[in-house]
Amino acid sequence: MTPEVEMKFACRPATLEALVARAFSAPARDQRLVAVYYDTPDGRLAARQASLRLRTDETGRTVQTFKTGEGLGRREAEHETAPGRLDLTGEDLGAVLSAEDLAQLAPRFTVQVRRRTCEIKAGGSRIELALDQGEILAAGARSPVCEAELELISGDRRDLFTLALALAAELPLTLSLRSKSDRGNRLAAAGAPVPPASLPAGLTCEEALRHALVVALGEAAAQVLETAGEPSVEAVHQLRVALRRLRSLLSVFRRQWAPGNPTALKTGLQDLSRACGETRELDVLLGRADPAGALAPVLIAARRRAAEALVETLSGAPARMTLLEGLIFAEAGDWRTRPDAGSGAESGLSGDLRRRWRRIRRLGDAFTELGPEERHDLRLRIKALRYALDALDLPEWRPLAEALSPRLRAAQDALGALNDADAAKGLLERLDLSGDVRREASRLVAGLKRRDDRTRARKAVRRLVESTPALFT
């Protein structure tokens, strides 16, 4: 199999035309392509981060393509075959699926697009720009496709990064790490949860972290696109979670990067998280306010303004550049050279978890003396540890995650409840309320305060810090 170095961007049809004007120095190669993707009924190829398709052009020529991997580490094998007929004799495919699985392969979804391509010379490299517009069809449902792809044909991938950064700074191109295969599998699942692909075995620290960063970045990029299109309550919530998961990896395992990296990326992600904050806080308040009261219309109007500001932020160049710089860091960032660099990921990264745990224990032991800001810091540290364990689903850590995650979540939720009233009070004060609306807001804040919140939080934190796992001793 040969390596594939490709970057994909979601955009609008008008941006495709702008790219034609910007980058096409000669007439484009224009094709109509129909690709049928195959998998087993239980999605074994997707679970192994692999895809298999037959793509046919308007002349009837059919190419079979088998891809594995994620991010810029994908590999592919392709060859011409008869229309509608899979060739299952390849060693690469046989290494992923058993003979029994191969016999169960069947069409899962179809992608049909108009593709325009041209070649760009950047630095000393040759890069293909492909513009796809069409749709994915699966299980009676349709999903539009409008995307630009940059693929390194030959040369240095740094030239690919430079070109991608230049185009994203100039045009509304948003990084997308969900392939057509991934999107098609989700559409075929008809809304059912799609389990994450399992983490490959035998990874080094750098390989495991790179994999986790790319997966987390892909989810964040997908949620940015969804929220910018429709900032619903669920979309905003999921975007905040995705950003927090990504930031947690950068925070918990920060000693794995060279000094000073990735400071700009962390700042950009923090700005995106802040942009979500007010919309999410208003959603929480609206869920608790009396829908027939005087406060609800004020909150709804404030939520509309906050959502509009959020969409503007997500659609802007800084957000696009943050996501793109995140991928470049994950794939080619300045990683620290460590004595344990060649060791298994579990042993090489466990020290980072222990350091995080020691800080949580120190704060937890002093819980009765903590002020609101310190309690908030404790909650963020607990949340980051939980998300890091989830993101790095390493075999040796699974017993730890199963035992510790429920207590981490309980402490996180209890501390969050303790913080809700303070956060709501600050938000409502910024709305400059008066009269009956102010009194209703005061009652709402008072209702968020419960006498036993502090006791519940103290007990949850105590249960957590008293359960020191063997890994942390």
Side-chain angles (χ1 to χ4, degrees):
M1 300 183 76
T2 58
E4 174 191 59
V5 183
E6 177 184 275
M7 303 180 78
K8 187 191 304 289
F9 300 89
C11 60
R12 296 174 183 257
T15 305
L16 294 185
E17 303 311 316
L19 276 168
V20 171
R22 161 74 166 73
F24 283 52
S25 57
R29 184 185 181 196
D30 201 330
Q31 297 175 287
R32 302 283 178 174
L33 303 173
V34 177
V36 179
Y37 285 74
Y38 292 77
D39 206 338
T40 62
D42 55 356
R44 298 200 176 187
L45 278 177
R48 291 164 171 77
Q49 295 180 309
S51 67
L52 176 66
R53 74 173 183 231
L54 292 181
R55 175 184 280 169
T56 304
D57 64 20
E58 51 207 2
T59 70
R61 178 175 179 266
T62 298
V63 174
Q64 176 174 308
T65 304
F66 176 58
K67 294 188 180 186
T68 62
E70 42 71 41
L72 299 188
R74 303 182 78 192
R75 302 182 69 83
E76 68 175 13
E78 61 180 25
H79 61 275
E80 194 166 338
T81 187
R85 181 171 298 176
L86 288 175
D87 177 5
L88 304 181
T89 60
E91 293 182 3
D92 297 315
L93 186 56
V96 174
L97 294 181
S98 67
E100 182 180 354
D101 292 334
L102 291 174
Q104 297 184 57
L105 288 172
R108 186 161 176 82
F109 58 90
T110 300
V111 178
Q112 40 191 50
V113 298
R114 176 195 181 192
R115 166 165 287 192
R116 289 173 285 175
T117 58
C118 75
E119 186 175 309
I120 300 173
K121 292 183 179 178
S125 302
R126 295 167 53 223
I127 297 168
E128 182 183 74
L129 171 62
L131 310 180
D132 286 353
Q133 189 170 2
E135 59 184 355
I136 303 172
L137 302 94
R142 298 171 182 264
S143 180
V145 171
C146 188
E147 58 190 29
E149 298 177 357
L150 291 170
E151 181 172 359
L152 184 66
I153 301 173
S154 65
D156 191 330
R157 64 179 182 171
R158 287 175 295 186
D159 292 330
L160 177 69
F161 297 154
T162 299
L163 177 60
L165 287 166
L167 291 176
E170 181 182 339
L171 297 168
L173 296 164
T174 302
L175 179 70
S176 174
L177 291 176
R178 281 189 178 168
S179 64
K180 295 182 182 71
S181 173
D182 186 30
R183 291 184 58 196
N185 282 318
R186 291 171 184 270
L187 192 63
V194 177
S198 55
L199 195 68
L203 300 182
T204 64
C205 299
E206 182 174 332
E207 290 168 341
L209 267 179
R210 188 196 68 80
H211 181 281
L213 283 169
V214 170
V215 171
L217 184 66
E219 188 60 30
Q223 292 300 329
V224 164
L225 286 168
E226 182 173 340
T227 307
E230 176 54 50
S232 66
V233 173
E234 183 63 16
V236 174
H237 172 59
Q238 291 302 328
L239 174 57
R240 287 193 81 192
V241 170
L243 291 169
R244 172 55 65 184
R245 289 183 185 279
L246 183 53
R247 292 173 62 198
S248 295
L249 287 169
L250 296 175
S251 173
V252 173
F253 302 106
R254 64 184 181 277
R255 288 175 175 79
Q256 302 293 334
W257 342 117
N261 287 287
T263 303
L265 172 59
K266 291 169 72 174
T267 300
L269 292 172
Q270 187 174 42
D271 290 343
L272 288 178
S273 294
R274 286 198 186 108
C276 299
E278 186 160 330
T279 307
R280 177 58 185 166
E281 288 172 4
L282 285 163
D283 285 337
V284 172
L285 282 180
L286 276 166
R288 298 180 176 182
D290 180 1
L295 179 60
V298 177
L299 294 178
I300 290 171
R303 203 278 182 186
R304 183 169 55 250
R305 293 191 299 271
E308 289 172 354
L310 173 58
V311 169
E312 185 176 354
T313 297
L314 298 180
S315 303
R320 297 197 302 272
M321 300 303 282
T322 292
L323 294 173
L324 185 51
E325 287 165 358
L327 178 62
I328 293 172
F329 169 76
E331 296 287 0
D334 192 5
W335 298 66
R336 185 190 297 274
T337 301
R338 298 168 59 95
D340 56 11
S343 66
E346 294 90 342
S347 58
L349 298 176
S350 293
D352 297 308
L353 294 186
R354 283 193 290 271
R355 277 185 285 271
R356 171 70 44 155
W357 177 255
R358 284 197 293 267
R359 180 59 176 165
I360 289 172
R361 282 211 65 175
R362 283 196 294 270
L363 288 170
D365 287 339
F367 181 81
T368 57
E369 303 168 16
L370 300 183
E373 291 186 4
E374 291 171 309
R375 290 197 298 267
H376 182 60
D377 178 55
L378 174 59
R379 180 171 180 263
L380 293 181
R381 290 176 180 277
I382 289 172
K383 187 186 296 188
L385 178 58
R386 184 170 71 87
Y387 283 162
L389 281 171
D390 288 345
L392 280 165
D393 183 25
L394 296 168
E396 289 184 16
W397 288 2
R398 283 173 193 155
L400 166 68
E402 290 172 2
L404 193 60
S405 289
R407 296 196 178 201
L408 288 167
R409 181 60 185 264
Q412 173 189 323
D413 289 346
L415 287 166
L418 193 60
N419 183 62
D420 281 349
D422 290 334
K425 181 180 179 182
L427 176 58
L428 291 168
E429 285 176 349
R430 294 197 299 273
L431 294 180
D432 192 25
L433 307 176
S434 60
D436 292 341
V437 180
R438 177 183 290 276
R439 285 188 286 274
E440 185 179 338
S442 297
R443 290 195 297 271
L444 176 60
V445 171
L448 294 174
K449 294 181 178 179
R450 296 179 296 182
R451 287 186 178 181
D452 62 344
D453 276 348
R454 190 177 179 88
T455 301
R456 287 177 59 248
R458 178 178 56 78
K459 290 181 177 179
V461 170
R462 174 55 54 191
R463 283 194 294 270
L464 173 64
V465 299
E466 287 179 348
S467 62
T468 304
L471 179 67
F472 295 157
T473 57

